[in-house]
């Protein structure tokens, strides 16, 4: 599972299982070979590409630390990893975003609340609903009404060229009729395999002794990304259109109208009772319940209902976050569950000391992905679910990613199964655990606990922190146990000579590690901040902090007021930052890290944004065409920042109706003041 997915997710449980490196390497080898075959030979990947990449990286890390394990390893073979094959790469002109998910009726209602708040409107919004197809997003580019390019979504910005394969899909028009635009047009939609073709294909494969596809989505994905288009052709794939990269190309005023235009231009559009307009959210909810109950009757697999704001003129106003548009939500159906047996429950110690119970289970496929462990989050959650070793449990992948134990099958519980007793002490250092009032998480309070030190070191090197390749768990263990590293800053003082004489560390792996550490010296400041393992401070907060404090030193001297004045930095985060820099335990580490010449954090921004990159705005008064939330979001979407008070650093002051003292201050400082019209023009 990915560490550090959000600011709230501030824990990195360290796996403290006593498995020898040789055993782990053997296990990884066999997993990599198995998944490689599933992927390349059978088109039946069981795990996503990034999970596969993590297996390979872990094995590479092990082999770097213990070179004798490398002989005959799959890491030395030339077989290209998933994603690295030779379908050409293309860049999407407009990013292909994902959809936000609503996992409950409440979250669907929240979606409408957000829209209302954002638009500052109380009038009824109308929607359009469509099944969420479980296939593969593709973009079809037409020029002069002829299909010229087809691509996968990829990471949203770069995808793969699958034109040859897509040409074999009968559903997809190769030429558009008169009446369709002749100017360049990009149609988006989903390639899928219907249930009938899916069973046919699997029966055929079974008869031929081949492994079967876990679900129609994997079957479609595997079929579409074939290097040999004739294989794609033999698997009957289908297509539904659901959008345009530029909705205005449709000439329609509503999403329903856009879908009609796509239909007129010859694209298959889904026509069941699930694809229609809904006068209001209540109607959309009724459709949701209806389709969830009847999903088995549809000829293709669906995993939810996409609910979209119908009025296209609201789309640009609502805009998008970096991952998803605000005008649509994917309301997910309850996933079909899988059952398995709990083999063990272990307590893992995270980098901020959190004690996290983790269940290890007999591996099962959950929505097409093999799952063998799941977090039980904390003591309360474990008690509430009352999971015991030996229980049969129902598993789901929450939001389709993180595996979760939903409940225990009490009827199947063997008699006399003892409840799991949550330990009162840290399983690694033995210090009595502490659970603060009002908190669900018990923690090991000992910042010097070996498990915490190790977890912090691993986090320091993590991809989203300093990105030091080759510093995974095993290497971290070795560096710490040998005494070469006591605190993360020691990494920057490691010498090749010290490292290469380490037992099991080869010349090459030592040199590689030193090189990645050297590269890390000049990582961007936000990565350094994220690397510190400050509680509640993850990637996003680190980026915000790096945007305002030009160095670690400046951040270490920040006051509560300065921190709290920042947008999106709440009191909890601010306090945590102060605590961190005040704690004597961090002093030697920080002093070392700030030692001139040891590292040189750079100030480059995390990702390039729109035309207002780095500009600082202050808002004052009321705008008539948008709410303050909308104004902030639109500035941020273009790379700008909104500050709460006027200073000489401010680039623009946006003055609406009834502007107050901020406007007066701005005038005094001679700053640029925009009225609403200027501001709207700037955003456009
Ligand atoms: S998007 C543009 N509609 O879901 C207005 N996406 O989670 C909203 N997907 O990569 C329409 N069915 O591949 C839309 N009916 C549908 C969809 C759909 C499936 C996929 C799409 C995207 C993913 C995002």
């Amino acid at each position: 599972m990915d560490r550090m997915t959000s600011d709230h997710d501030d824990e990195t449980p360290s796996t403290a299982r006593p498995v020898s490196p040789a055993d782990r390497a053997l296990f990884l080898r066999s997993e990599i070979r198995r998944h490689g075959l599933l992927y390349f030979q059978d088109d039946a990947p069981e795990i996503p590409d990034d999970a596969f990449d993590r297996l390979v990286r872990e094995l590479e890390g092990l082999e770097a630390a213990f070179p004798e394990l490398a002989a005959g390893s799959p890491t030395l073979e030339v077989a290209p990893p998933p994603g690295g094959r030779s379908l050409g790469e293309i860049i999407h002109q407009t990013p292909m975003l994902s959809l936000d998910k609503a996992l409950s009726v409440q979250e669907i209602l929240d979606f409408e609340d957000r829209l209302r708040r954002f638009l500052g409107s109380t009038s009824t919004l109308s929607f359009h609903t469509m099944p969420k197809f479980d296939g593969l997003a593709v973009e079809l580019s037409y020029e002069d009404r002829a299909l010229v390019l087809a691509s996968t979504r990829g990471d949203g910005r770069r995808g793969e060229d699958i034109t040859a394969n897509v040409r074999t899909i009968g559903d997809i028009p190769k030429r558009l009729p008169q009446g369709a635009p002749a100017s360049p047009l990009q149609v988006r939609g989903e390639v899928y395999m219907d249930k009938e073709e899916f069973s046919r294909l699997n029966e055929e494969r079974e008869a031929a002794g081949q492994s079967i596809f876990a679900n129609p989505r994997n079957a479609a994905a595997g079929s579409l990304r074939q290097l040999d288009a004739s294989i794609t052709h033999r698997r009957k794939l289908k297509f539904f259109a659901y959008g345009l990269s530029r909705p205005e190309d449709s000439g329609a005023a509503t999403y329903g109208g856009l879908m009609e235009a796509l239909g007129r231009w010859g694209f298959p559009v889904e026509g069941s009772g699930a694809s229609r307009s809904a006068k209001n959210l209540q109607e959309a909810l009724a459709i949701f319940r209806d389709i969830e109950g009847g999903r088995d009757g549809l000829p293709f697999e669906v995993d939810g209902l996409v609910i979209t704001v119908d009025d296209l003129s609201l789309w640009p106003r609502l805009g998008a976050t970096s991952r998803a548009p605000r005008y649509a939500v994917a309301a997910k159906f309850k996933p079909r569950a899988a059952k398995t047996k709990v083999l063990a429950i272990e307590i893992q110690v995270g980098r901020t000391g959190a004690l996290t119970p983790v269940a290890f289970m007999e591996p099962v496929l959950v929505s097409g992905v093999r799952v063998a462990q799941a977090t039980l989050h904390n003591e309360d959650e474990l008690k509430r679910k009352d999971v015991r070793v030996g229980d049969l449990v129902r598993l789901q992948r929450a939001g389709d990613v993180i595996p979760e134990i939903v409940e225990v099958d009490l009827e199947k519980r063997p008699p006399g199964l003892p409840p799991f007793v949550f330990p009162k002490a840290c399983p690694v250092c033995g210090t009595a655990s502490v659970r603060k009032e009002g908190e669900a998480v018990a923690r090991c309070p000992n910042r010097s606990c070996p498990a915490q030190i190790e977890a912090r070191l691993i986090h320091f090197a993590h991809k989203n922190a300093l990105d030091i390749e080759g510093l995974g768990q095993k290497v971290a263990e070795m560096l710490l146990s040998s005494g070469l590293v006591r605190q993360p800053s020691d990494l920057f003082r490691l010498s090749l000579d010290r490292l290469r004489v380490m037992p099991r560390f080869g010349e090459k792996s030592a040199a590689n590690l030193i090189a990645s550490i050297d590269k890390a010296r000049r990582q961007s400041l936000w990565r350094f901040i994220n690397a510190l393992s400050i509680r509640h401070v993850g990637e996003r907060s680190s980026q915000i902090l790096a945007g305002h404090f030009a160095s670690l030193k400046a951040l270490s001297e920040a006051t509560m007021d300065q921190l709290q004045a920042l947008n999106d930095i709440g009191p909890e985060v601010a306090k945590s930052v102060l605590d961190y820099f005040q704690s004597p335990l961090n002093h030697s580490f920080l002093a070392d890290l700030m030692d001139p010449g040891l590292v040189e954090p750079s100030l480059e921004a995390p990702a390039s944004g729109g035309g207002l990159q780095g500009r600082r705005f202050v808002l004052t008064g009321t705008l008539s065409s948008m709410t303050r939330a909308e104004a902030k979001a639109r500035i941020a979407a273009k790379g700008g920042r909104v500050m709460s008070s006027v200073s000489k650093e401010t680039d623009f002051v946006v003055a609406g109706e009834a502007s107050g003292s901020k406007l007066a201050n701005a005038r005094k400082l001679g700053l640029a003041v925009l009225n609403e019209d200027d501001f709207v023009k700037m955003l456009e």
Side-chain angles (χ1 to χ4, degrees):
M1 208 194 312
D2 212 339
R3 304 187 281 254
M4 285 186 19
T5 39
S6 76
D7 289 355
H8 308 291
D9 195 0
D10 68 345
E11 280 305 286
T12 307
S14 81
T15 318
R17 270 170 297 161
V19 177
S20 77
D23 285 347
R24 183 72 187 158
L26 268 183
F27 167 76
L28 287 168
R29 278 186 185 203
S30 84
E31 280 297 278
I32 289 167
R33 286 205 203 279
R34 192 170 72 81
H35 288 300
L37 287 176
L38 283 168
Y39 188 92
F40 291 110
Q41 198 171 302
D42 306 332
D43 306 325
E46 277 180 15
I47 54 171
D49 287 1
D50 59 344
F52 180 86
D53 290 343
R54 277 198 294 274
L55 293 176
V56 175
R57 246 178 281 131
E58 188 186 342
L59 182 58
E60 285 171 346
L62 266 182
E63 291 169 356
F66 307 106
E68 78 275 20
L69 297 178
S73 165
T75 57
L76 304 172
E77 289 168 16
V78 283
R85 292 159 311 140
S86 47
L87 288 170
E89 186 185 271
I90 61 92
I91 297 190
H92 298 292
Q93 279 169 17
T94 325
M96 290 181 81
L97 298 179
S98 180
L99 288 173
D100 279 334
K101 292 172 188 137
L103 301 176
S104 63
V105 169
Q106 186 55 50
E107 289 186 14
I108 303 178
L109 297 171
D110 293 346
F111 165 62
E112 190 186 39
D113 278 351
R114 272 200 308 277
L115 293 171
R116 287 244 171 84
R117 240 182 301 125
F118 202 92
L119 296 168
S121 129
T122 49
S123 51
T124 311
L125 289 164
S126 53
F127 296 92
H128 192 278
T129 65
M130 203 188 299
K132 183 163 190 301
F133 314 113
D134 202 10
L136 203 77
V138 298
E139 182 170 78
L140 309 172
S141 300
Y142 292 84
E143 272 169 31
D144 284 329
R145 302 193 190 87
L147 177 67
V148 292
L149 181 72
S151 52
T152 61
R153 173 174 156 209
D155 66 3
R157 287 166 208 280
R158 294 154 197 275
E160 283 174 323
D161 180 344
I162 48 165
T163 314
N165 304 17
V166 160
R167 283 187 191 284
T168 70
I169 301 176
D171 265 4
I172 291 182
K174 315 298 172 300
R175 291 205 73 81
L176 305 183
Q178 294 295 325
S183 49
L185 182 76
Q186 284 116 36
V187 174
R188 291 174 176 182
E190 196 90 347
V191 167
Y192 68 98
M193 186 177 281
D194 68 20
K195 292 176 183 167
E196 200 183 316
E197 171 68 4
F198 175 66
S199 347
R200 188 201 63 74
L201 180 64
N202 267 351
E203 277 164 27
E204 182 186 286
R205 291 174 68 89
E206 208 166 7
Q210 292 169 306
S211 70
I212 61 170
F213 288 112
N215 55 41
R217 174 205 188 83
N218 283 351
S223 305
L224 199 56
R225 294 164 72 209
Q226 285 295 320
L227 290 174
D228 175 357
S230 71
I231 301 180
T232 311
H233 188 51
R234 274 186 279 129
R235 318 238 176 108
K236 301 283 176 246
L237 294 174
K238 296 190 160 178
F239 178 74
F240 278 132
Y242 56 63
L244 288 170
S245 72
R246 289 179 309 263
E248 59 275 20
D249 289 344
S250 67
T254 61
Y255 183 51
L258 182 154
M259 292 307 299
E260 275 169 29
L262 286 172
R264 280 198 308 279
W265 301 341
F267 292 96
V269 289
E270 208 277 328
S272 77
S275 296
R276 58 183 157 110
S277 62
K279 278 202 305 293
N280 52 41
L281 194 73
Q282 286 313 313
E283 246 185 65
L285 276 173
I287 299 170
F288 176 77
R289 294 200 180 92
D290 213 44
I291 303 303
E292 177 160 36
R295 65 202 279 211
D296 290 337
L298 287 169
F300 45 84
E301 197 62 59
V302 291
D303 60 354
L305 188 74
V306 180
I307 304 176
T308 307
V309 171
D310 203 27
D311 182 347
L312 291 184
S313 74
L314 297 177
W315 286 19
R317 283 186 57 195
L318 288 162
T321 63
S322 60
R323 50 171 307 277
R326 288 199 185 80
Y327 49 78
V329 75
K332 305 279 276 187
F333 298 144
K334 274 190 213 72
R336 297 186 178 89
K339 289 204 167 170
T340 186
K341 199 172 138 190
V342 177
L343 302 175
I345 297 174
E346 286 178 10
I347 306 292
Q348 300 186 342
V349 185
R351 61 196 163 95
T352 59
L355 301 182
T356 306
V358 176
F360 291 84
M361 298 159 298
E362 267 169 16
V364 274
L365 281 187
V366 188
S367 346
V369 170
R370 187 167 175 278
V371 174
Q373 54 171 285
T375 172
L376 289 158
H377 302 289
N378 54 55
E379 184 174 7
D380 286 355
E381 189 67 6
L382 178 70
K383 279 219 179 90
R384 191 177 67 73
K385 289 184 178 159
D386 187 21
V387 179
R388 305 178 185 190
V389 176
D391 267 334
L392 193 70
V393 291
R394 200 160 69 83
L395 277 180
Q396 265 178 13
R397 282 200 294 143
D400 260 357
V401 232
I402 300 157
E404 189 122 67
I405 293 180
V406 185
E407 60 183 6
V408 172
D409 186 343
L410 288 175
E411 283 175 16
K412 301 261 165 64
R413 174 174 283 171
L417 213 58
F420 182 81
V421 182
F422 203 89
K424 293 270 171 271
C426 170
V428 176
C429 71
T431 309
S433 61
V434 180
R435 191 172 150 186
K436 286 214 185 101
E437 204 164 304
E439 284 191 11
V441 178
R443 286 174 197 276
C444 163
N446 175 14
R447 282 273 295 178
S448 314
C449 165
Q452 286 190 47
I453 292 177
E454 183 183 312
R456 284 198 298 271
L457 182 62
I458 294 171
H459 171 79
F460 194 77
H462 187 270
K463 180 159 77 43
N464 298 335
L466 291 187
D467 195 14
I468 303 177
E469 236 177 283
L471 209 171
Q473 187 176 351
K474 293 299 160 195
V475 175
E477 251 168 42
M478 185 281 287
L479 292 172
L480 291 167
S481 65
S482 64
L484 277 183
V485 170
R486 289 169 207 278
Q487 54 188 19
S489 55
D490 293 340
L491 288 174
F492 297 114
R493 302 195 187 281
L494 269 181
S495 72
L496 186 57
D497 288 341
R498 295 293 300 278
L499 203 56
R500 72 168 159 221
V501 297
M502 289 312 292
R504 311 182 167 197
F505 228 97
E507 195 71 37
K508 179 124 183 287
S509 48
N512 286 345
L513 183 58
I514 294 288
S516 2
I517 291 171
D518 265 338
K519 216 171 74 192
R521 290 180 207 271
R522 285 171 303 278
Q523 279 290 15
S524 31
L525 178 61
W526 74 266
R527 289 177 174 278
F528 272 91
I529 298 174
N530 194 19
L532 298 179
S533 287
I534 305 175
R535 242 184 111 187
H536 305 302
V537 176
E539 250 178 285
R540 225 182 87 72
S541 307
S542 301
Q543 290 171 0
I544 295 169
L545 292 169
H548 291 85
F549 298 94
S551 64
L552 284 177
K553 183 145 191 339
L555 178 63
S556 74
E557 288 160 358
T559 63
M560 190 69 176
D561 285 348
Q562 281 172 331
L563 288 166
Q564 285 212 47
L566 304 183
N567 268 316
D568 301 320
I569 296 289
E572 202 183 21
V573 177
K575 176 152 189 319
S576 189
V577 173
L578 284 187
D579 286 351
Y580 178 86
F581 286 104
Q582 272 159 20
S583 163
L585 278 171
N586 297 325
H587 280 173
S588 101
F589 164 50
L590 286 169
D592 202 25
L593 203 58
M594 292 180 210
D595 191 5
L598 194 63
V599 299
E600 287 169 53
S602 69
L603 281 174
E604 122 221 3
S608 69
L612 301 179
Q613 192 62 45
R615 296 313 179 100
R616 298 171 196 229
F617 286 76
V618 170
L619 302 173
T620 171
T622 327
L623 299 174
S624 63
S625 62
M626 66 187 90
T627 58
R628 199 164 270 212
E630 180 174 356
K632 279 190 183 177
R634 291 178 66 176
I635 291 169
K638 290 207 162 350
R641 289 205 295 259
V642 179
M643 332 284 288
S644 53
S645 58
V646 173
S647 74
K648 46 182 196 316
E649 259 86 68
T650 310
D651 292 299
F652 300 104
V653 174
V654 179
E657 278 302 301
S659 300
S661 59
K662 288 184 193 169
L663 180 57
N665 279 339
R667 294 248 149 86
K668 254 188 250 154
L669 290 168
L671 301 174
V673 176
L674 304 174
N675 65 24
E676 182 159 356
D677 282 350
D678 299 334
F679 175 55
V680 171
K681 268 195 215 112
M682 184 182 254
L683 289 176
E684 278 159 7

